[in-house]
């Protein structure tokens, strides 16, 4: 057993840390207030290889491992969770989905542009009446021989208004249940495909979240991913990797809030001493440090499972469940340590607290993670 990072991993982490400090930090408060998508920063992240971290270099990717991916995600999320979710969805849900399960033609046409950041990807599973209950897809895709016709509504879609390539999950045969679902690649601008208004969100306000409408959208058959009926398993497999990314995002949010709280507690004085010298604050810092370290171990274990070729359905669910809980609880504590200053934007922790909440909801709520974990332990 070896808990140390390799020299290469340290270099990757430090490059992401440097980028987050110098590029993401300066405008992060303003982007949050204005709900501004970081277009220029996405291009810079693409130049660093962050949009296709794990993709094979022959498709324009960086060819890194999942450990590198979580290191990058943690560093970006410490500063700007809106930027990091764009990276996470593009990497784990869209690039991975196409690389692992797409045809060679799909990879050549779509993956290279996604991995280099020339295109941005979105993953469309959630619907107004099918969020956690993902088999109850109402969006339909009717087989018309050489093409499908898609009708329906998808919502809470990350990068919904900005993406170029959309992976759309739809029902092709409702009598077959989860085996009657397929996944399709839909291009922006396809006739009948409309983007609804942008959501006004509590957190990750710099990311671009929309409802999407599909009205008789014609998609060629070669854009279906995998064999007929593979769509639900495709979504589940892809989301398992996505959950590693979101767990790392939650870890980064928690670590960012902890670092700010520690620094503040060493500077702020009350009752004649720095507040870190009061046990009420010191014990909060001890809990944060311990639980964030535990979350990091779970996140690393899930990434390691993926790199080893092990099944990571359960380890990714455990990492996301725990890291998101730690992020939520300790960002609240970071605000508390900052007192009145924690309640104003300038000190960053109120934003991290708002950003933390979504990590307990998207890519499977905490309750869904408990279903995945409990089913795995009962089955095994
Ligand atoms: N890998 C491969 N196959 C899987 C799988 C996985 N990780 N998870 C489920 N399946 C298969 C099952 O084996 C089953 O196949 P069979 O019918 O051949 O036995 C099929 O898929 C249906 O699975 P299951 O019966 O477990 O479906 P449920 O309706 O009970 O739902 C949960 C399972 C709750 C785990 C699933 O709906 C889920 O993850 N929901 C949350 C979705 C989500 O994350 N939404 C957020 C959207 S992205 S922001």
């Amino acid at each position: 057993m070896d808990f140390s990072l390799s020299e290469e991993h340290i270099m990757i982490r430090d490059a992401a840390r440097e980028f987050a400090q110098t590029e993401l930090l300066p405008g992060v408060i303003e982007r949050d207030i204005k709900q501004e998508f970081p277009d220029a920063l996405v291009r810079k992240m693409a130049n660093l290889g962050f949009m296709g971290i794990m993709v094979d270099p022959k498709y324009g990717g960086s060819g890194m491992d999942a450990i590198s991916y979580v290191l990058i995600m943690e560093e970006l999320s410490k500063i700007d969770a809106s930027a990091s979710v764009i990276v996470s969805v593009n990497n784990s849900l869209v690039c991975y989905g196409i690389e692992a399960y797409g045809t060679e033609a799909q990879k050549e046409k779509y993956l290279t542009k996604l991995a280099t950041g020339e295109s941005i990807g979105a993953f469309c599973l959630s619907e107004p009446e099918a969020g956690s209950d993902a088999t109850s897809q109402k969006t339909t895709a009717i087989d018309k021989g050489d093409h499908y016709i898609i009708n329906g509504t998808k919502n809470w879609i990350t990068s919904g208004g900005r993406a170029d390539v959309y992976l759309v999950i739809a029902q092709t045969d409702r009598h077959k249940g989860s085996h009657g679902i397929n996944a399709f690649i839909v291009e922006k601008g396809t006739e009948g495909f409309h983007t609804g208004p942008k959501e006004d969100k509590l957190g990750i306000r710099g990311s671009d979240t929309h409802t999407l409408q599909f009205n008789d959208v014609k998609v060629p058959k070669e854009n279906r991913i995998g064999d007929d009926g593979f769509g639900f398993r495709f979504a589940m497999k892809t989301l398992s990797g996505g959950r590693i990314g979101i767990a790392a995002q939650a870890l980064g949010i928690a670590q960012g809030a902890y670092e700010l709280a520690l620094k503040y507690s060493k500077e702020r004085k009350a009752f004649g001493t720095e507040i870190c010298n009061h046990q009420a604050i010191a014990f909060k810092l001890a809990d944060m440090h311990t639980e964030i370290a535990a979350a990091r171990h779970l996140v690393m274990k899930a990434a390691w499972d993926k790199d080893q070729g092990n099944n990571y359905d359960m380890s990714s669910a455990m990492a996301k469940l725990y890291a998101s809980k730690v992020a939520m609880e300790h960002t609240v504590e970071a605000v508390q340590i900052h007192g009145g200053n924690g309640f104003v934007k300038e000190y960053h922790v109120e934003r991290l607290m708002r950003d933390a909440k979504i990590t307990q909801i998207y890519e499977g709520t905490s309750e869904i993670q408990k279903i995945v974990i409990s089913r795995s332990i009962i089955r095994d």
Side-chain angles (χ1 to χ4, degrees):
M1 184 157 308
D2 183 359
F3 285 96
S4 54
L5 293 174
S6 69
E7 271 181 33
E8 197 187 343
H9 284 138
I10 291 170
M11 271 173 53
I12 291 163
R13 183 200 62 193
D14 290 351
R17 186 174 292 174
E18 167 83 12
F19 173 79
Q21 284 293 334
T22 56
E23 300 283 351
L24 295 181
L25 184 59
V28 67
I29 294 174
E30 206 180 10
R31 289 194 298 278
D32 172 69
I33 293 169
K34 293 185 179 165
Q35 300 202 78
E36 200 175 283
F37 186 86
D39 284 299
L41 293 166
V42 170
R43 279 194 295 279
K44 287 185 179 175
M45 290 193 289
N47 290 340
L48 287 169
F50 293 172
M51 297 302 274
I53 296 167
M54 293 167 288
V55 176
D56 190 323
K58 81 174 173 187
Y59 301 114
S62 305
M64 296 188 228
D65 57 9
I67 297 284
S68 306
Y69 172 52
V70 299
L71 290 170
I72 293 167
M73 279 299 296
E74 179 181 346
E75 293 303 325
L76 301 180
S77 307
K78 271 160 67 173
I79 306 296
D80 186 350
S82 297
S84 73
V85 73
I86 300 162
V87 168
S88 185
V89 168
N90 201 69
N91 275 278
S92 322
L93 299 184
V94 185
C95 285
Y96 176 79
I98 296 176
E99 186 167 24
Y101 303 108
T103 61
E104 201 49 44
Q106 289 167 350
K107 290 180 202 177
E108 271 166 27
K109 187 164 179 195
Y110 299 106
L111 182 58
T112 306
K113 286 185 179 169
L114 287 161
T116 53
E118 198 182 319
S119 297
I120 295 177
F123 185 81
C124 314
L125 173 67
S126 296
E127 298 187 350
E129 291 171 69
S132 293
D133 185 7
T135 50
S136 295
Q137 294 288 306
K138 298 280 184 297
T139 298
T140 55
I142 305 299
D143 190 341
K144 296 282 185 188
D146 64 344
H147 66 275
Y148 285 87
I149 297 289
I150 301 184
N151 278 289
T153 307
K154 295 286 174 185
N155 55 357
W156 310 303
I157 305 304
T158 301
S159 303
R162 279 299 205 283
D164 308 281
V165 176
Y166 296 76
L167 295 188
V168 181
I169 316 297
Q171 190 153 53
T172 43
D173 186 346
R174 79 174 61 256
H175 303 293
K176 291 187 182 162
S178 69
H179 295 267
I181 291 174
N182 276 292
F184 302 93
I185 303 172
V186 180
E187 293 177 25
K188 180 190 207 138
T190 309
E191 204 182 332
F193 174 23
H194 304 288
T195 307
K198 183 170 171 148
E199 300 290 356
D200 187 358
K201 307 191 298 276
L202 172 74
I204 54 161
R205 289 168 57 80
S207 81
D208 182 58
T209 310
H210 289 259
T211 294
L212 305 175
Q213 190 67 44
F214 298 84
N215 298 329
D216 288 333
V217 174
K218 186 175 171 183
V219 177
K221 204 156 227 175
E222 63 260 25
N223 280 24
R224 189 185 74 205
I225 298 186
D227 292 337
D228 186 23
F230 179 61
F232 187 73
R233 263 146 292 271
F234 168 79
M236 293 297 107
K237 284 279 154 218
T238 306
L239 275 168
S240 282
R243 289 166 186 167
I244 300 176
I246 301 306
Q249 180 188 46
L251 172 66
I253 293 170
Q255 178 70 24
Y258 161 74
E259 288 177 12
L260 290 169
L262 177 62
K263 181 169 178 287
Y264 184 82
S265 74
K266 287 178 168 178
E267 291 163 2
R268 174 80 176 182
K269 287 189 177 163
F271 304 103
T273 184
E274 288 78 16
I275 60 171
C276 62
N277 296 322
H278 296 296
Q279 203 174 64
I281 302 299
F283 278 16
K284 283 188 198 301
L285 294 169
D287 284 341
M288 285 173 149
H289 191 67
T290 306
E291 290 174 26
I292 291 169
R296 185 171 293 106
H297 287 141
L298 285 174
V299 172
M300 286 296 177
K301 170 63 168 55
W304 181 84
D305 275 339
K306 185 163 190 289
D307 286 337
Q308 297 302 310
N310 299 340
N311 185 303
Y312 49 93
D313 293 339
M314 183 163 76
S315 54
S316 63
M318 285 167 61
K320 182 177 182 291
L321 174 68
Y322 188 71
S324 62
K325 177 174 175 284
V326 165
M328 195 65 251
E329 289 176 3
H330 292 318
T331 50
V332 171
E333 289 292 59
V335 171
Q336 191 69 15
I337 291 170
H338 279 76
N341 283 329
F343 210 60
V344 295
K345 295 196 184 301
E346 186 189 337
Y347 284 81
H348 297 282
V349 282
E350 64 81 34
R351 186 188 70 257
L352 292 167
M353 182 181 79
R354 288 186 284 106
D355 288 350
K357 187 61 210 169
I358 192 62
T359 66
Q360 294 184 302
I361 299 173
Y362 59 16
E363 299 199 24
T365 61
S366 295
E367 292 74 12
I368 288 294
Q369 307 313 323
K370 289 184 189 181
I371 292 179
V372 173
I373 298 162
S374 59
R375 284 184 183 175
S376 296
I377 54 182
I378 292 164
R379 192 184 52 228
D380 297 345

